[in-house]
Amino acid sequence: MLIAADTLLTGTDLLRPGWIETTGTTVRAVGAGVPPAPADHSAAVVVPGFVDTHVHGGAGADFSAGTAAATAAAVGLHRRHGTTTLIASLVTAAPEDLLRQVTALAEHTHAGLIDGIHLEGPWLSAQRCGAHDATLMRDPDPVELQRILDAGAGAVRMVTVAPERDGALDAIGRLTEAGVVAAVGHTEAGYRQTVAAIEAGATVGTHLFNAMRPIGHRAPGPIIALLEDPRVTLELITDGVHLDPSIYRHVCRSSATGASGATGNDRVSLITDAMAATGNADGHYRLGTMSVEVVDGVARVAGTDTIAGSTATMDAVFRFAVTHSGLDRDAALLQAVRQATVNPARALGLGRPGLVPGAPADLVVLDSDLGVTGTLYRGQWVVSPDDGAGADTATP
């Protein structure tokens, strides 16, 4: 299949115009200029398939349900919005419930429904519990951790830990030895405690700023420690609710490591933190054990002002990043594509990201306003640009 695009972004380069050829489930060739033969499809913008490494559900389904039907419903919704690689996130749960959830999602991972599991809890700070059940939070226990890793059978990709919990540094070491990415989040840790966690092997900051001790000019806390270490990938929920646009711009500037400035940024990872209400109407939902109320697309723990995940999809957080980057259009596209595809895939070791020969044939076709008109997953259209419908871009 041959696709011609007015603008083609590979993950590292911008080609205008450009073309991409796929064979079966892989990318065969990519080039600039007019395609070498008549194209099967034409597009305004083509980007690699989005990679969401922090998502709890969608289409009314929560990954904690552990059923194939719930997993398929949530994945289907996010695929229609351009996510071709998805890590299912679980919130804090009781030991036996968590073990059951991991066992089920490991089966879904090995069946190809999802690309792995992220444990966001239970080893978090009750002071920064967010939409987690604080009564179920606990210190990392080596026996429980090993049971979970055994049940995951290689499917557990990332675990978020609060560094101040007793046994947290040992748990981070055990996770990294097992090939699992350790992340810092939902934490009241100080600066030095966070530095110690990074030295122990933590390489991701879970939704930076959210559910973290804030920055103090005499007590910098975890945010500054995560920002200043180039080994750390920084998750940001750019949904227009969790962060002010100025914070997104500041993090991009302060964490840029490439010689080309912001477009060389390789540390920011855009995530949705989407929960079950994503793609659905306002109303009452569940996030793990917590009751959640969604009003005007904003999810909060019922009866409180505490944000409970998001109702965003990856195309929405991608558009936000482009719109609010403060860069010119091309630089903004290059930066946002990297943050929505290459960076999260690299951070979790999820294979070869981007549109290059030999990579999976995962791509998103966008219109000039960056709305999804097509999603190609492993060489098959989930949403075909020929249908003329595309995803529902009304999702925030």
Side-chain angles (χ1 to χ4, degrees), residues 3-9 14-19 31-35 41-46 330 333 365-368:
I3 303 171
D6 297 333
T7 301
L8 173 66
L9 293 122
L14 185 151
L15 309 177
R16 184 177 290 131
W19 55 269
V34 298
H41 304 278
S42 296
V45 181
V46 172
D330 286 355
L333 284 169
V365 178
L366 304 169
D367 60 25
S368 58

Side-chain angles (χ1 to χ4, degrees), residues 49-52 268 270 314 318 335-342 344:
F50 298 131
V51 179
D52 193 353
V268 171
L270 304 183
M314 279 298 291
F318 173 76
Q335 175 174 273
V337 165
R338 189 171 185 84
Q339 294 171 347
T341 63
V342 174

Side-chain angles (χ1 to χ4, degrees), residues 231-250:
R231 294 172 292 182
V232 176
T233 297
L234 309 165
E235 289 185 351
L236 294 179
I237 311 170
T238 54
D239 64 342
V241 175
H242 283 77
L243 298 172
D244 187 86
S246 64
I247 294 295
Y248 169 66
R249 291 191 293 272
H250 173 75

Side-chain angles (χ1 to χ4, degrees), residues 272-367:
T272 62
D273 199 14
M275 47 82 69
T278 305
N280 280 18
D282 288 356
H284 296 278
Y285 296 87
R286 304 290 296 183
L287 178 58
T289 63
M290 306 297 285
S291 177
V292 175
E293 186 174 4
V294 179
V295 178
D296 295 331
V298 179
R300 290 186 171 89
V301 175
T304 77
D305 291 329
T306 301
I307 298 174
S310 87
T311 60
T313 49
M314 279 298 291
D315 56 325
V317 300
F318 173 76
R319 286 192 295 272
F320 182 99
V322 172
T323 302
H324 296 286
S325 69
L327 305 172
D328 65 65
R329 174 78 167 188
D330 286 355
L333 284 169
L334 281 164
Q335 175 174 273
V337 165
R338 189 171 185 84
Q339 294 171 347
T341 63
V342 174
N343 295 353
R346 185 205 66 248
L348 266 63
L350 295 175
R352 191 175 187 182
L355 298 178
V356 294
D362 295 344
L363 60 82
V364 188
V365 178
L366 304 169
D367 60 25

